[in-house]
Amino acid sequence: MTPRILIIAGSDSGGGAGIQADIKTVTMLGGHAMTAVTAITAQNTLGVTGVHPIPTEMVLAQIEACVSDIGVDAIKIGMIGSARTAAAVAEKLKELPGIPVVFDPVMVASSGATLADDATIAAFERLMDRATVVTPNLPELEALGGDAQALVKAHRCAVLVKGGHAEGAVVTDRLWSADPEDPPEIEWSNPRIETDSTHGTGCTLSSAIACGLAVEWDLPEAVRRARRFVRIAMREAPGLGRGHGPMGHQAVRLDLNMSFFEPMLNQVTVPAQDLAASERFYRLLGLRQVVRASPRYARFEAEGGATFSIATDPGYTGPVVYFECGDLDVTVAYLQQQGIQFEQDPKDETWGWREARLRDPAGNSVRLYQAGEMRRYPPWRVGDA
């Protein structure tokens, strides 16, 4: 069933953040996005020039309209509009026990504009009591008291602290869990992507987490996948506007598989003899070359994000088909229980993929793998691709 995500947040007229970023994220991850708009903003990549809060009664009416008819599998809360709306939404959520809630405590836009006053921030306490996970950045965490572990204890919710505002070449996000079965603290670190196209990163991350929770990924896995989505969308940014530009949600198509057992076909490798001649041939077909490792290997990208490779390695005597799995180890364990034999169990390869190898009944080579960001953005990607 298509996951149903209810987004309670403000509208960004420039399309980079808020409801617009949320809808793009949910759509690209295969969900159905519903909205309860809490505020209308006039903004672009340079800043916010106007904010019009939606009356609390209308926010509640939007929520009720969605829930009573379509239903909901997860909720994402962003810009809340007013203290009264925050309190009313928290009360309304008591009617939806067991539904995962991701609360992004939006206070300030990327441009620096204030989107929540002191009274609204104080009312966040009630929303945190209902949340599954709260996702503050470092300034927001400071406004909430500065201690993630104290928030976990006080509100019995997980806290994901986003590290993008810290200095340095590496961005580290930390999750403090409220679930005794999870590690108390989990950390993810990645090289910082140097770009001004950061508008809507927090909105996108929280909506992607909601999508993961809606299809019953556990919280750490939902966060891991959401972070990957944000990073690829940042890399795909179209370069619009003169300030903090929007990300490229529309270009993130095959990079996240939200299913355990439905692998995606998105990589085929065929043998080559003269790499340069084969490179030219496939470029003429219209494929965009993204990796060049002459004289051994080259990779191309097709419309939609699927990749196609050519290789002169002696090991490639025929086409090899790659299927990317949502959870490689779970998929392989299931197939082995069904009697499928593997030539190689899941293994971390030197090029950054985790891969398992097998053959179909006709002897064709099939590989199941997980690559994520490494599939399209390895360190050796062609510079202008």
Side-chain angles (χ1 to χ4, degrees), residues 26-249:
V26 171
T27 301
M28 296 313 299
L29 291 174
H32 173 70
M34 303 170 288
T35 62
V37 180
T38 60
I40 298 171
T41 69
Q43 65 175 296
N44 53 28
T45 68
L46 297 174
V48 180
T49 56
V51 177
H52 175 68
I54 301 299
T56 298
E57 291 72 22
M58 187 59 188
V59 175
L60 296 178
Q62 293 174 82
I63 295 172
E64 179 61 26
C66 296
V67 172
S68 63
D69 177 34
I70 299 171
V72 59
D73 298 305
I75 297 169
K76 176 265 170 76
I77 303 174
M79 179 186 179
I80 203 64
S82 70
R84 183 167 180 259
T85 296
V89 168
E91 193 66 24
K92 182 68 175 177
L93 293 181
K94 291 181 180 179
E95 301 174 12
L96 300 170
I99 301 298
V101 175
V102 181
F103 176 35
D104 182 21
V106 176
M107 301 178 192
V108 179
S110 300
S111 62
T114 300
L115 298 177
D117 59 21
D118 290 342
T120 303
I121 294 172
F124 284 176
E125 299 284 332
R126 298 181 66 177
L127 289 171
M128 288 190 286
D129 285 338
R130 178 61 187 87
T132 305
V133 58
V134 182
T135 62
N137 58 33
L138 291 172
E140 290 164 349
L141 177 64
E142 192 64 29
L144 294 172
D147 187 336
Q149 291 174 295
L151 292 177
V152 172
K153 185 176 181 180
H155 301 285
R156 299 180 299 281
C157 64
V159 176
L160 174 66
V161 179
K162 300 172 291 191
H165 284 74
E167 298 292 330
V170 174
V171 175
T172 298
D173 300 332
R174 293 181 174 86
L175 175 68
W176 279 270
S177 178
D179 187 339
E181 296 186 4
D182 290 336
E185 180 182 347
I186 303 174
E187 180 179 295
W188 295 270
S189 294
N190 293 96
R192 185 181 298 275
I193 298 172
E194 296 297 339
T195 177
D196 290 328
S197 299
T198 57
H199 192 42
T201 50
C203 305
T204 299
L205 180 72
S206 53
S207 288
I209 293 171
C211 289
L213 296 178
V215 296
E216 299 184 350
W217 293 107
D218 63 29
L219 180 57
E221 183 67 9
V223 171
R224 184 181 71 83
R225 290 165 177 271
R227 292 181 76 256
R228 186 193 307 166
F229 184 95
V230 171
R231 289 181 60 81
I232 295 172
M234 289 175 71
R235 291 183 181 275
E236 294 283 357
L240 303 177
R242 292 172 289 150
H244 293 280
M247 298 185 293
H249 302 78

